[in-house]
Amino acid sequence: MASTTRTYPVRGMHCASCVRTIETALGKVPGVTKASVNLAAEKAQVTFDAAHTSPAQLAKATEDVGYHLDVTEPSAPDTPHAAPSHPAMGEPGHDHAAMLREMEGKDMQRKVWTGIVLSAVIVLGSYPQFFPFLPAALADGYVLLLLTLPVQFWVGSSFYAGLKLLVKHRQADMNTLVAVGTLAAFGYSLAATVAPQWFTSGGLKAELYYDTSAVIVTLVLLGRYLEAKARKKANEAIRKLLGLQVKIAHRVVDGREEDVPIDAVRVGDLLRVRPGEKIPVDGIVTEGASSLDESLVTGESLPVDKAVGDRVIGTTVNQTGTLVLKADKVGADTVLSQIVRMVEQAQASKAPIQRLADAVSAIFVPIVFGIAALTFLVWFFFGPQPALTFALLNTVGVLIIACPCAMGLATPIAVIVGTGKGAQMGVLIKDAAALEGARKLTAVAFDKTGTITTGKPVVTDVIGQRAEVLRIAGSAERHSEHPLARAIVVAAEADKIALAEPADFAAVTGAGVRATIDGASVLVGTRKLMRDNGVRDAGWDEKLAAFEAQGKTSILVARGGEVIGAVAIADTVKETSREAVARLKAMGLRVIMLTGDHERVAAHIAGQVGITEFRAQVLPEDKVGVIKELQAQGLRVGMAGDGINDAPALAQADVGFAMGTGTDVAMDAGDVTLMRGDLRALADAIDLSRATIRNAKQNLLWAFGYNVVLIPIAAGVLYPVNGMLLNPILAGAAMAFSSLSVVLNALRLKRWHPGRRQPRS
Ligand code: ADP
Ligand code: MG
């Protein structure tokens, strides 16, 4: 069975129980194996077997329960790799769903204003004793009925989907609560208007509650309208990225320049970029030199120098010189498109802590109906006179106050703002689970080379006959990818030494290389590599100690079974590493360095950046073991590495942080990609996760607390104690306020800066 996963925009959702309703409806469609709906992102992710069902059927099932699934245009492909074959998907710039949302917003705005004006008149007319100067006709039941009708049925039209749901599917959501609640108030008033004798003959006053129903409908809609506006703001971070794309590129063909729309640029095209212009697509510099502002992608504001052969990223800003670049990634393959897609996916993912809220809200609405029914019965049979009035008002109050929307929004909205904020800082978070995991870390381990150091080592000393040692070592290392090998080759070339072509080259991971040069067998690497191959290294340890004490990696060079010399290589520590380590420690994390290098080098580098705990001479494959060992001690371990041979350790860690080079989204290797190859970004990422989850928890607490406290008050439990009741109108206002306050609280994260508050919540 070939199943596909697609993400579609969903419209018309208002609360956590909407999420459940749609998930259930989609789940029932034959061929669907998984459906996951995100309220804040307004997306549904559906896994289905295309042989058994079609997107149209999915749309129909959703329509049936009162929502709209836009299947004409999946908003995001579900694996980054699937992108190129679906040009329409994830194609930045065009957002059909956004356009529809906008139209809906306009419609909502009209309804809200109509509701406000009519409700104001209805309230004035409902209290003639306070407003004696108004014409008496306004207080007439029939006039009030006429004014209320459009509010109840046009302004409030979106709520009736909830009734359809109740009747057709025996399910209920927030719409059901509002529809039933306001209809109860409206129906009661209608009866009191057309047949007051029913009430007066029973000794009751024929009271009117048109104001209650009209004001509640208006308030709830107003709350939704404001909330939708705020939610849009939460999504802004990612939309902003899309808006920054270049529209026109200057293509160079046969020495002539022509302006072409960005969509027409193909891989291999030569493009000219002048100072002040943005780089149109990802590519490699073929002419010129300049410095670029890459802050959009890396979060780092210092300009980066670029020359022939360097990679440049689309949408970053060319500052000083004119460049010609050869396009190598266009359309959906560019780094920017990948970032946008990844952030969208992260935003649509569900945080583990949201599961509780989802589970609660799933059973919430039926329970609320139970409580409402109980409220009615208790007040009607045991309450004071007029029993029917009290029973009615309190029941309406319970139904109105109980909306679980704030609960459904609590964590997704925080995740959206948090991941968007992360993208702006050059911290790409894979999903909400990674965000939550990062908060819980108690230790971080990192690789030395390329993580703490720049990973651009330079040969500083050669021991033995310089030219010969460099020639042998350089020839053996020619085909090695290791940064140390590159340093040796560069040093040999600088000395204008002609290198030989090695025969039987083999890299020994974490130890060095083996090769045959001019018929003699050559080894370049650690002392252990020598001993393992029967080469005597007596005396060398002392000779190398002095270099190693300065933090220089020292490598032996052997030919024909004998050590002929050594090379000392220094790798500069990144300026920012020390500050980052200090910050991580201040955040209460245990910091451990892992390296394949010698003990003495490790000690020196660790000392330079303020790390007290390190493991040296760890083979790449043993890094996994060290992570496991730390985990066995009960630590939650984050691992930061450059991903080259750290992938297994990154995967083993509770959260793996891949140090990006800024040019590719190394998401496969880790849970978080730090686009800025700078350890401060690691501290930022952990800090951000703490702030985001703290924010989500505040939201959850607020949302739950509000319902837990106000439902009993609305039911009237305090009435026997102090006569307190919750007016249904106040209930409507409180409900509108609760989800709005959750969204506003999440928006506070936008102004958050790393390092401002340290404690773990
Ligand atoms: P790290 O943990 O610092 O990234 P590696 O695990 O890649 O380092 O390598 C560990 C040690 O093995 C290096 O410090 C070096 O002594 C030796 N080594 C690895 N690869 C090579 C190579 N190509 N040439 C010489 N020495 C090497
Ligand atoms: Mg390494």
Side-chain angles (χ1 to χ4, degrees):
M1 171 172 143
S3 67
T4 44
T5 301
R6 287 272 179 278
T7 304
Y8 301 108
V10 183
R11 285 177 296 117
M13 291 192 288
H14 310 288
C15 64
S17 54
C18 305
V19 169
R20 286 294 299 194
T21 307
I22 301 174
E23 282 178 355
T24 315
L26 287 171
K28 280 187 195 152
V29 177
V32 172
T33 47
K34 198 171 160 247
S36 163
V37 174
N38 182 302
L39 172 61
E42 300 193 276
K43 300 260 162 78
Q45 197 172 56
V46 196
T47 306
F48 60 96
D49 181 359
H52 286 94
T53 189
S54 65
Q57 270 169 287
L58 301 177
K60 170 140 198 328
T62 315
E63 210 77 49
D64 258 5
V65 289
Y67 304 90
H68 183 79
L69 186 74
D70 187 3
V71 292
T72 53
E73 201 175 334
S75 68
D78 292 277
T79 53
H81 315 289
S85 56
H86 297 276
M89 303 200 302
E91 192 85 279
H94 176 73
D95 193 344
H96 184 63
M99 195 188 76
L100 290 175
R101 216 176 294 132
E102 179 130 330
M103 279 165 51
E104 247 176 28
K106 290 245 167 68
D107 180 51
M108 223 167 161
Q109 199 176 16
R110 260 197 306 276
K111 286 181 174 166
V112 167
W113 278 114
T114 311
I116 290 175
V117 171
L118 288 178
S119 297
V121 180
I122 294 165
V123 169
L124 290 176
S126 299
Y127 299 94
Q129 63 274 36
F130 299 142
F131 310 107
F133 47 88
L134 290 171
L138 199 57
D140 182 78
Y142 283 99
V143 172
L144 288 175
L145 169 62
L146 220 63
L147 289 167
T148 308
L149 274 172
V151 182
Q152 182 75 39
F153 296 103
W154 180 67
V155 175
S157 55
S158 58
F159 302 128
Y160 296 103
L163 281 188
K164 189 175 154 198
L165 183 73
L166 185 68
V167 174
K168 261 183 91 174
H169 297 269
R170 312 226 162 275
Q171 284 179 38
D173 63 3
M174 180 209 159
N175 283 329
T176 325
L177 296 177
V178 177
V180 172
T182 57
L183 276 180
F186 178 80
Y188 181 95
S189 313
L190 182 68
T193 307
V194 296
Q197 65 280 7
W198 287 354
F199 297 84
T200 41
S201 64
L204 287 170
K205 255 177 82 195
E207 301 260 21
L208 300 180
Y209 293 99
Y210 290 121
D211 57 328
T212 305
S213 128
V215 172
I216 289 175
V217 165
T218 305
L219 269 178
V220 175
L221 203 69
L222 175 68
R224 278 184 192 181
Y225 176 69
L226 294 177
E227 185 195 312
K229 279 186 86 155
R231 257 197 270 178
K232 212 165 116 190
K233 223 171 164 179
N235 266 316
E236 231 169 42
I238 199 70
R239 299 235 166 88
K240 250 191 212 154
L241 280 180
L242 290 179
L244 293 169
Q245 284 207 318
V246 181
K247 310 270 183 295
I248 300 280
H250 317 302
R251 183 158 63 188
V252 184
V253 185
D254 304 325
R256 280 208 337 270
E257 195 181 300
E258 59 182 23
D259 282 2
V260 292
I262 196 75
D263 297 335
V265 174
R266 296 284 167 263
V267 170
D269 283 357
L270 293 176
L271 307 169
R272 182 164 293 141
V273 191
R274 299 199 171 76
E277 289 181 338
K278 287 183 197 161
I279 304 288
V281 296
D282 297 0
I284 308 228
V285 179
T286 58
E287 253 177 68
S290 181
S291 62
L292 262 60
D293 175 357
E294 295 193 327
S295 58
L296 172 76
V297 173
T298 61
E300 169 61 66
S301 52
L302 288 178
V304 188
D305 290 333
K306 298 283 175 178
V308 172
D310 287 340
R311 297 195 110 268
V312 289
I313 309 166
T315 334
T316 59
V317 183
N318 180 24
Q319 292 188 319
T320 50
T322 298
L323 295 175
V324 174
L325 58 103
K326 191 170 177 181
D328 78 341
K329 280 182 188 155
V330 299
D333 295 337
T334 61
V335 168
L336 189 78
S337 296
Q338 287 184 54
I339 292 178
V340 168
R341 256 196 321 270
M342 245 186 45
V343 175
E344 276 184 352
Q345 278 187 38
Q347 291 186 331
S349 68
K350 242 179 217 174
I353 49 167
Q354 182 62 23
R355 278 193 212 120
L356 175 68
D358 281 355
V360 170
S361 47
I363 52 165
F364 196 74
V365 174
I367 290 180
V368 167
F369 269 108
I371 296 176
L374 199 69
T375 304
F376 187 87
L377 293 176
V378 170
W379 279 96
F380 189 72
F381 289 110
F382 307 106
Q385 282 307 322
L388 183 60
T389 305
F390 274 120
L392 177 84
L393 287 183
N394 291 332
T395 305
V396 172
V398 168
L399 288 173
I400 297 305
I401 200 104
C403 154
C405 16
M407 256 188 261
L409 274 174
T411 62
I413 197 83
V415 167
I416 285 190
V417 181
T419 48
K421 181 90 196 175
Q424 284 174 340
M425 304 193 304
V427 173
L428 296 184
I429 300 156
K430 195 189 224 162
D431 52 25
L435 193 67
E436 215 181 315
R439 182 193 76 95
K440 295 189 189 136
L441 295 179
T442 51
V444 280
F446 15 85
D447 173 51
K448 174 175 76 77
T449 314
T451 303
I452 297 179
T453 67
T454 56
K456 289 185 192 119
V458 186
V459 172
T460 54
D461 308 84
V462 179
I463 306 137
Q465 252 211 314
R466 184 177 173 100
E468 188 59 5
V469 170
L470 279 182
R471 190 180 75 85
I472 296 299
S475 304
E477 297 276 23
R478 267 179 108 165
H479 302 299
S480 167
E481 298 283 305
H482 203 281
L484 293 174
R486 302 266 295 279
I488 293 174
V489 174
V490 166
E493 281 168 354
D495 278 16
K496 306 234 159 30
I497 295 169
L499 297 181
E501 183 57 34
D504 351 299
F505 164 82
V508 187
T509 321
V513 297
R514 188 188 301 129
T516 306
I517 315 273
D518 308 333
S521 81
V522 168
L523 287 171
V524 184
T526 60
R527 271 140 277 179
K528 184 163 180 304
L529 177 74
M530 301 298 151
R531 286 194 297 274
D532 290 349
N533 288 278
V535 175
R536 284 185 50 243
D537 67 334
W540 279 97
D541 196 48
E542 295 83 81
K543 281 187 204 158
L544 299 183
F547 296 108
E548 287 172 341
Q550 298 167 39
K552 294 175 181 173
T553 304
S554 304
I555 291 164
L556 290 178
V557 183
R559 180 179 51 191
E562 218 159 317
V563 177
I564 60 162
V567 182
I569 299 172
D571 190 359
T572 33
V573 164
K574 286 179 199 163
E575 283 166 34
T576 51
S577 295
R578 193 180 171 86
E579 182 194 330
V581 168
R583 257 183 72 194
L584 289 165
K585 283 186 168 175
M587 287 162 73
L589 293 154
R590 202 166 131 187
V591 179
I592 303 133
M593 180 178 96
L594 306 179
T595 177
D597 214 332
H598 194 276
E599 197 80 28
R600 285 190 284 257
V601 182
H604 181 84
I605 302 282
Q608 248 185 306
V609 295
I611 295 181
T612 42
E613 196 176 347
F614 61 86
R615 307 282 175 94
Q617 280 157 306
V618 191
L619 294 177
E621 57 267 35
D622 294 338
K623 286 183 182 168
V624 179
V626 177
I627 304 285
K628 281 189 185 155
E629 193 189 308
L630 294 168
Q631 286 169 331
Q633 292 173 24
L635 292 169
R636 288 182 161 273
V637 189
M639 164 84 197
D642 55 11
I644 292 171
N645 48 28
D646 303 321
L650 290 180
Q652 172 63 37
D654 294 286
V655 181
F657 297 86
M659 305 291 285
T661 51
T663 47
D664 65 327
V665 184
M667 214 58 208
D668 289 343
D671 304 299
V672 178
T673 299
L674 307 175
M675 296 301 282
R676 176 160 46 110
D678 162 351
L679 276 178
R680 286 179 310 182
L682 173 65
D684 289 352
I686 297 176
D687 219 5
L688 174 68
S689 80
R690 289 182 180 179
T692 306
I693 301 299
R694 188 168 49 230
N695 189 282
K697 281 187 172 174
Q698 290 163 354
N699 291 346
L700 273 178
L701 200 75
W702 174 244
F704 269 114
Y706 151 88
N707 277 308
V708 166
V709 172
L710 290 186
I711 291 178
I713 296 182
V717 291
L718 288 183
Y719 186 77
V721 185
N722 59 7
M724 185 172 170
L725 284 174
L726 199 65
N727 183 306
I729 290 181
L730 279 183
M735 187 195 72
F737 179 68
S738 89
S739 38
L740 193 63
S741 64
V742 161
V743 176
L744 291 178
N745 186 47
L747 285 178
R748 281 193 317 130
L749 267 179
K750 289 187 120 184
R751 291 193 310 271
W752 174 89
H753 287 289
R756 196 181 272 173
R757 274 177 60 183
Q758 304 293 347
R760 197 140 37 98
S761 58

